[in-house]
Amino acid sequence: MKSADVGADGRIARRFAALKAEGRAGLVTFITAGDPDPAVSQAVLNGLPAAGADLIELGMPFTDPMADGPAIQASSLRALKAGMTVRKTLEMVRGFRKQDADTPIILMGYYNPIYAYGVEPFLADARAAGVDGLIVVDLPPEEDEELCIPAVKAGVSFVRLTTPTTDEARMPTVMRNTSGFVYYVSIAGITGTASASNTAVDAAVARLKRHTDLPVAVGFGIKTPDQAAEVARVADAAVVGSAIVTRLADGLADGGDGADAVRPGTVEDVLGFVGELAAGVRAARG
């Protein structure tokens, strides 16, 4: 299956082409929009590219994030408590695009908030804001008419998840309308828990490459620069989410009225950690 160059002016395809030309894998970072509040979240988002993020996943907060572990669940609750919405998430992307026209942004989340927004207006607004792709974890390929196909027609990539339980018979169905890149979930479970073995990741990436020419990004369970480097030796990108979200949560303190307060230097600490991850990824094939 050949990949489609969709998404806002092909940013995802161009970024992976540039990474291939450099002879290295990319770092995909995840944060939750609005965590712990819109201002801090925007500051982290804006700082990610300079810290070393090659692509960014921006989580859309949701009350029931069933694929996510405790760290990202808590981040969604903090963001919702701070008043974050889908519309405000798109405003964050607009703010980011004022200072970065090149780094791909993929919105990650669940279908319910998009359905409530309205698929057509959501896709139009997302595209106008500068969104390049979507990862919607609770829509299987059998429901592609709901969002996947409209997204691709609107020029927004639809990134599909594959897992260790996606067998050979299922793989063509999963890949059929996938675009942008393939996200391999390296463990059977929720985010931020166990980590897969290097041998298992190597075999999984090789198997996926037999089914698609799309780049393969590997995530779930990557917590350290060394783990990111191991993945970057075989995959096209390493995805780190829970570890970054946890680093941000570690910078929060009780503000005295029950509200979370951000300790001074927290944004810089989070971006410094991203820099360490990026250094690991960049050294992986050196």
Side-chain angles (χ1 to χ4, degrees), residues 5-49:
D5 184 17
V6 298
D9 57 40
R11 271 187 287 255
I12 295 175
R14 288 207 309 273
R15 180 52 52 93
F16 276 109
L19 291 169
K20 185 175 182 179
E22 292 178 35
R24 69 174 180 89
L27 174 64
V28 184
T29 57
F30 171 94
I31 63 170
T32 299
D35 174 36
D37 64 54
V40 171
S41 188
Q42 187 79 59
V44 174
L45 177 64
N46 290 354
L48 286 172

Side-chain angles (χ1 to χ4, degrees), residues 134-179:
L134 298 174
I135 299 173
V136 181
V137 301
D138 55 350
L139 278 180
E142 287 75 14
E143 304 297 333
D144 275 357
E145 292 289 345
E146 286 284 332
L147 180 62
C148 174
I149 291 173
V152 173
K153 287 180 179 178
V156 178
S157 292
F158 199 88
V159 178
R160 188 81 70 191
L161 301 178
T162 63
T163 73
T165 60
T166 307
D167 61 22
E168 294 296 309
R170 179 69 170 166
M171 193 70 75
T173 300
V174 171
M175 294 294 181
R176 185 172 56 228
N177 294 314
T178 300
S179 56

Side-chain angles (χ1 to χ4, degrees), residues 32 35 65 68-80 245 249 252 260:
T32 299
D35 174 36
D68 295 306
I72 294 179
Q73 288 182 19
S75 72
S76 268
L77 292 177
R78 288 192 297 267
L80 291 170
V245 169
L252 304 180
D260 288 327

Side-chain angles (χ1 to χ4, degrees), residues 237-258:
V239 186
V240 184
S242 293
I244 296 171
V245 169
T246 298
R247 196 69 171 244
L248 180 56
D250 288 344
L252 304 180
D254 187 346
D257 60 356

Side-chain angles (χ1 to χ4, degrees), residues 245-286:
V245 169
T246 298
R247 196 69 171 244
L248 180 56
D250 288 344
L252 304 180
D254 187 346
D257 60 356
D260 288 327
V262 181
R263 294 189 181 98
T266 294
V267 171
E268 292 77 11
D269 179 64
V270 170
L271 296 177
F273 176 57
V274 171
E276 294 170 11
L277 294 166
V281 166
R282 283 160 172 74
R285 302 183 192 176

Side-chain angles (χ1 to χ4, degrees), residues 39-134:
V40 171
S41 188
Q42 187 79 59
V44 174
L45 177 64
N46 290 354
L48 286 172
D54 297 296
L55 298 91
I56 297 169
E57 289 179 13
L58 186 61
M60 296 181 286
F62 183 50
T63 53
D64 188 23
M66 60 187 181
D68 295 306
I72 294 179
Q73 288 182 19
S75 72
S76 268
L77 292 177
R78 288 192 297 267
L80 291 170
K81 182 179 178 182
M84 206 60 187
T85 64
V86 173
R87 197 171 298 278
K88 289 180 180 179
T89 299
L90 296 181
E91 284 302 314
M92 280 189 65
V93 178
R94 288 184 186 274
F96 176 84
R97 286 289 173 230
K98 291 177 181 178
Q99 52 107 48
D100 188 309
D102 300 317
T103 303
I105 288 188
I106 299 94
L107 295 184
M108 186 170 186
Y110 299 82
Y111 185 47
N112 186 281
I114 296 171
Y115 178 80
Y117 194 110
V119 169
E120 288 189 10
F122 170 79
L123 290 172
D125 290 350
R127 172 82 185 205
V131 171
D132 302 289
L134 298 174

Side-chain angles (χ1 to χ4, degrees), residues 157-236:
S157 292
F158 199 88
V159 178
R160 188 81 70 191
L161 301 178
T162 63
T163 73
T165 60
T166 307
D167 61 22
E168 294 296 309
R170 179 69 170 166
M171 193 70 75
T173 300
V174 171
M175 294 294 181
R176 185 172 56 228
N177 294 314
T178 300
S179 56
F181 60 94
V182 177
Y183 187 148
Y184 177 66
V185 176
S186 61
I187 60 170
I190 55 177
T191 60
T193 52
S195 300
S197 70
N198 296 336
T199 301
V201 171
D202 291 358
V205 171
R207 184 167 77 99
L208 285 168
K209 292 288 188 179
R210 293 195 296 269
H211 286 273
T212 182
D213 68 345
L214 289 168
V216 177
V218 175
F220 280 50
I222 302 173
K223 301 176 182 178
T224 68
D226 286 345
Q227 289 176 325
E230 288 296 329
V231 167
R233 289 189 178 97
V234 295
D236 297 297

